[in-house]
Amino acid sequence: MKRRTFLQQAGAAGALMLAAPSVALSAGRPRKVLVLGAGFSGLAAAWALTRRGVDVTVLEARSRVGGRVNSQVIDREEDLVVELGAEWVGASHTRILEMCKEFGLELFNNQFESRLTVQGAYKATSDWGYSPEWNATFDRLIADYHQLSAQELRVLDRTDWWHYLTDKGISDTDLNIRSLLDSTDFGEGIRHVSAFAALAEYAESSPKNEMDYKIRGGNSSLAQALADRVGRDRILLNHRVTTVDQSGKSVTVTTENGLKFEADAVICTLPTFALRHLQWSPALPADQMAALNQLQYARINKTAVLFQERFWEDESFDMVTDLPAHYFYHATKNQPGKAGALISYSIGEKAEVFGAQSREWRLKAVAEALAPGFGDVSEKVKRELSYYWGADPLTRGAYALYGVGQWFDLMPPLQKPFKRVFFAGEHLADWQGFMEGAINSGEEAAEKVLG
């Protein structure tokens, strides 16, 4: 069973409202729908509706489609692409795999074999790992997860991942490694993550935790393909929404440039930071607004460094460290060329520091973290691209982070429709934090609108 099944079995009141009839559906199928946001969730929703003959307009604040998917060419000579936003397509992500096949987009292997650098000592893939005792314990915890009752999962959700691991007898050495590795999955330290959200992700994921594939030419290729099918004329860029008015018999949405759009229903795929800054008439329900005010997004900084040569030699190279640069992976894996790029992926307070410092500081931090394994690599640098999602003006974070006690308490009110407005986004999906979840959520919202 998946996380949403557990949510429903837990008897969360809001979950039952997901199927409740809305004002939008009471008068029959809507003829005109506005979609707020042209990220993967909004594009998936718009495409699902246009295929069914619904008149759709997508309003997007950015000057591009794709939202938090942001592919960038880091080397034009060799046409090397890196992802400054959402990165991985998982082996278990059936919908995005189907879309890529349908649109003729090539997927290639993006799995890695991890190295470790701790306290200045570099260890190759075969020279480190968890203790046999902890491996056996964790395998048992994963197996037991599928037998837990809804009530037991609620209790689990009220524990943080760090306390859960220590309660299970993990050694300090194993805990230190888990903390470094797991924090890259959640974007913050493991003391801030719900044990339910963490255990559920590991129990339901592929063996590589959904770090399996990437789209040839960049993940933004899928956003472009979706936008083409929706129709570029239906997608209005640089249209930042300011107000949503449902006081009449339809929905009126106003954008920052003063334009007004009227529709029978709205699908809102905005991340919670942008959503809570909209003016709503009537106001959002108190429980929904409270949930918006509580849900945080992960602070992540991605610094892509292009080197003259791939001195790490192995295409499947990645490495976790205890330094501020935190986690490295080969960002141009399986892209032909002499040059290559590594991405330093830092989280939480480390990411905030990276985002606030100069290019020179970031490159020095990257070189310092790589030095134990490869010596001084600073002279090999060709280019650097960096983006701190914690400072993004529309999201203030990379993806939603469900903290202690929040999965069962916050998701239900955030999921339920408000009059003629339906909500979608990665923060509301089973595959939360992934492109797959965004697509699933958008398509589900479209089905709810259609009734």
Side-chain angles (χ1 to χ4, degrees):
M1 290 188 293
K2 300 298 183 183
R3 277 164 274 188
R4 184 167 300 174
T5 305
F6 287 131
L7 183 70
Q8 293 167 339
Q9 286 185 350
L16 301 178
M17 298 180 187
L18 294 177
S22 69
V23 175
L25 303 183
S26 62
R29 178 172 170 170
R31 293 169 293 179
K32 172 68 178 177
V33 176
L34 292 172
V35 176
L36 310 187
F40 272 30
S41 186
L43 292 172
W47 187 45
L49 292 172
T50 55
R51 294 202 314 270
R52 304 280 281 276
V54 178
D55 184 7
V56 175
T57 298
V58 182
L59 303 177
E60 169 57 47
R62 301 185 195 272
S63 58
R64 59 173 178 82
V65 298
R68 283 167 278 167
V69 177
N70 185 12
S71 308
Q72 294 289 328
V73 177
I74 196 169
D75 189 325
R76 298 196 179 279
E77 293 179 3
E78 297 185 343
D79 195 28
L80 300 177
V81 178
V82 298
E83 305 292 342
L84 293 185
E87 186 92 22
W88 282 279
V89 176
S92 304
H93 295 172
T94 56
R95 188 63 185 114
I96 198 169
L97 295 175
E98 291 171 353
M99 279 188 172
C100 287
K101 183 177 181 179
E102 181 175 354
F103 298 161
L105 299 175
E106 179 189 353
L107 290 163
F108 63 90
N109 183 281
N110 202 40
Q111 296 175 334
F112 299 108
E113 298 298 331
S114 297
R115 285 77 171 165
L116 176 70
T117 297
V118 174
Q119 296 179 340
Y122 172 79
K123 297 181 180 181
T125 302
S126 59
D127 296 335
W128 71 280
Y130 297 115
S131 66
E133 294 79 11
W134 176 249
N135 280 331
T137 297
F138 196 70
D139 287 345
R140 187 179 70 252
L141 295 174
I142 293 297
D144 291 347
Y145 162 83
H146 297 285
Q147 310 303 319
L148 295 174
S149 68
Q151 182 57 38
E152 287 172 321
L153 292 169
R154 271 190 171 277
V155 172
L156 185 62
D157 189 43
R158 299 191 181 280
T159 304
D160 67 75
W161 189 227
W162 184 89
H163 273 104
Y164 177 84
L165 294 173
T166 57
D167 288 347
K168 298 304 178 182
I170 190 171
S171 70
D172 288 345
T173 300
D174 288 330
L175 180 61
N176 184 46
I177 297 173
R178 278 225 76 101
S179 179
L180 289 171
L181 286 170
D182 293 1
S183 59
T184 66
D185 293 325
F186 303 108
E188 296 285 344
I190 63 173
R191 293 173 185 259
H192 302 289
V193 180
S194 156
F196 167 72
L199 189 60
E201 176 163 328
Y202 295 130
E204 296 175 11
S205 291
S206 66
K208 288 288 186 180
N209 196 30
E210 307 307 328
M211 297 169 65
D212 297 307
Y213 306 110
K214 195 157 65 175
I215 300 172
R216 181 75 66 190
N219 293 334
S220 291
S221 299
L222 179 54
Q224 299 300 328
L226 280 167
D228 288 340
R229 283 155 179 79
V230 171
R232 299 283 178 164
D233 58 322
R234 294 189 176 101
I235 303 172
L236 304 182
L237 304 177
N238 300 306
H239 280 62
R240 186 169 185 168
V241 173
T242 56
T243 65
V244 179
D245 187 344
Q246 299 189 84
S247 57
K249 293 184 179 180
S250 60
V251 190
T252 300
V253 172
T254 305
T255 58
E256 200 170 48
N257 54 12
L259 297 178
K260 292 183 182 293
F261 301 84
E262 190 172 348
D264 302 311
V266 166
I267 295 178
C268 180
T269 70
L270 304 183
T272 60
F273 180 81
L275 200 160
R276 63 190 290 273
H277 285 86
L278 299 182
Q279 296 181 30
W280 294 82
S281 179
L284 286 173
D287 62 338
Q288 212 160 19
M289 198 65 205
L292 289 174
N293 289 334
Q294 292 177 64
L295 186 61
Q296 292 280 345
Y297 277 50
R299 295 170 292 176
I300 289 174
N301 185 89
K302 300 183 81 169
T303 295
V305 182
L306 178 69
F307 295 96
Q308 297 169 357
E309 60 186 16
R310 304 183 183 190
F311 56 81
W312 50 91
E313 297 181 348
D314 183 0
E315 285 288 290
S316 300
F317 171 82
D318 78 345
M319 180 180 74
V320 67
T321 82
D322 56 358
L323 293 175
H326 197 99
Y327 172 57
F328 290 90
Y329 58 91
H330 181 192
T332 50
K333 178 183 178 180
N334 288 331
Q335 298 182 52
K338 179 182 178 182
L342 298 178
I343 279 183
S344 164
Y345 182 104
S346 53
I347 62 94
E349 293 180 358
K350 297 176 184 178
E352 195 162 311
V353 170
F354 255 77
Q357 300 300 320
S358 66
R359 175 181 182 274
E360 290 71 25
W361 186 96
R362 290 193 296 270
L363 288 176
K364 183 179 178 181
V366 166
E368 180 184 6
L370 292 170
F374 305 99
D376 185 5
V377 299
S378 57
E379 296 301 318
K380 302 180 188 293
V381 174
K382 290 183 65 177
R383 191 182 179 203
E384 181 254 13
L385 295 174
S386 188
Y387 197 79
Y388 174 45
W389 283 95
D392 184 273
L394 299 177
T395 66
R396 289 295 194 267
Y399 47 81
L401 171 74
Y402 279 89
V404 179
Q406 291 190 333
W407 185 273
F408 293 95
D409 292 346
L410 299 191
M411 190 176 283
L414 291 175
Q415 285 178 323
K416 67 183 180 182
F418 175 47
K419 296 173 72 67
R420 299 175 185 85
V421 178
F422 299 77
F423 297 96
E426 59 82 16
H427 61 294
L428 303 179
D430 286 346
W431 283 114
Q432 184 265 311
F434 287 98
M435 294 180 287
E436 172 79 359
I439 291 170
N440 294 158
S441 180
E443 291 185 330
E444 289 169 6
E447 290 303 314
K448 292 172 189 171
V449 168
L450 293 170

